Amino acid sequence: MFKKRIVVIAAALLACQALSAVAADTKQVEVMHWWTSGGEAKALSVLKDQLKQEGYAWKDSPIAGGGGEAARTVLRARVASNNPPDAMQMLGFSVQDYAQQGLLLNLDNVAAKGGWATLIPAPIQRFSKDDGHWYAVPIDVHSTNWIWANKKIFDELKLTPPQTFDELVADADKIRKAGYIPLAHGGQPWQEATIFDSAVMSAGGPKFYTDAMVNLDPKALGSKTMEKAFDQMRALRGMVDPNFSGRDWNLATSMVINGKAAMQIMGDWAKGEFANAGKKPGVDYLCMRYPGTQGDFIFVTDQFATFKAGDDRQAGEYAFAQAVMDKNVQAKFNQVKGSIPARLDVPSDGFDECGVKSMSDMRAALKSGTMVGSFAHGQAMPEASKTAVYDVVTHFFNSNQSSADAVKQLVTAVENSK
Ligand code: BGC
């Protein structure tokens, strides 16, 4: 009798423990991302704090590697073993890919309550939805057609922001002669692709960019204009230092911050590194649009997709999605990250001059219908074509291939990837 009672009590205790473990678990949201640089981590803490305020603990699953290739690989493995995180940072077509496999949690209710449909620009919504339903929530809008420059070097050499690509080439010459590295670059395929975004836009403008990179029109891909984009890549290759291979993007940014190099062509997450180092735009560094792309806006939007992880976890995932879209979070997060809010109703107060410029560039591009997605960051063409173009661009950048041959290879690679 006594023994039986002990067994019953022990069983009840175990059940309690199990219950509280579940309870603890559902009060926690696991978030996978690749924001591991100084500026990125600081921005993320804004979101973490908000989630905490909503009563949920943040389980952090960072996977280092700019551009997110490594994180996407880990995600695929976790999905394959039926253990996805609650939320994952995603770019472009990935959201639709996972939604179509039936793996993502539908966010329609949260979106309707929050009025997302009217707050978020249409080109951004395109990557939050599949078949008319919301599966992801955007936290930011970056753009890739930027140059970040060391102001002291520019002042010393009496340089002003180059307005044409030829001017950039002439400036690079002066910079090298003065003993500085003209262009800080990290030799990783995604970073070369990021530069290629700008080169294509500069060579042909938004319509050409759309024909080639979004519509994958063989005529545009195989054109003389595309050859010009590769010519620019060749010239840029001549501006980097010999140790560029494999360098992380934020280390390249440090070279500009420390005055070893004069410029970096990179999305405005680079601004988060300047800010994190206590540097101010217009004082320590300059932000300028890549020559020939003034007023153009090649966007990258970081979104979080929520995975179906069981009924008991839904409340946490909804709370997380709400936190991402919180007006205050979008203001503070983006001021630190270097991007601009994905909500159109966040005022520009508190954003620095580069942020204010980005906001007005995006609004102008929205009006004229020329806001185009970044090829490099998966928002122009589907994954298979993106990978094929990455290979062509990186091969070109790291060889002596001619622009004419690269263009031919580009057409074939894209055709084969479709
Ligand atoms: C993301 C940015 C991130 C950058 C470097 C991009 O793909 O959109 O948010 O800062 O990679 O890691």
Side-chain angles (χ1 to χ4, degrees), residues 390-411:
Y390 260 46
D391 288 349
V392 175
V393 171
T394 286
H395 172 69
F396 177 82
F397 200 78
N398 293 286
S399 70
N400 293 321
Q401 193 181 35
S402 72
S403 298
D405 285 349
V407 161
K408 271 189 220 140
Q409 210 183 323
L410 182 68
V411 175

Side-chain angles (χ1 to χ4, degrees), residues 33 54 65 89 92 139-140 173 187-188 201-202 217 220 236 278 293 322 349 360 362 376-377 394 397 406-407:
H33 60 89
E54 292 184 18
Q89 178 185 359
I139 190 157
D140 63 28
D173 225 39
Q188 295 172 346
M201 181 63 93
S202 172
D217 170 11
L236 295 170
T293 74
Q322 250 156 9
D349 318 346
S360 80
M362 181 177 85
H377 298 268
T394 286
F397 200 78
V407 161

Side-chain angles (χ1 to χ4, degrees), residues 202-218:
S202 172
K207 170 149 189 341
F208 174 75
Y209 182 99
T210 307
D211 287 347
M213 310 308 273
V214 180
N215 300 334
L216 302 179
D217 170 11

Side-chain angles (χ1 to χ4, degrees), residues 34-35 40 65-68 89 91 140 142 190 249 269 300 302 337 377:
W34 60 91
W35 285 333
E40 291 173 333
Q89 178 185 359
L91 296 176
D140 63 28
H142 278 292
W190 76 270
W249 69 273
W269 43 90
V300 178
D302 288 298
K337 182 71 166 57
H377 298 268

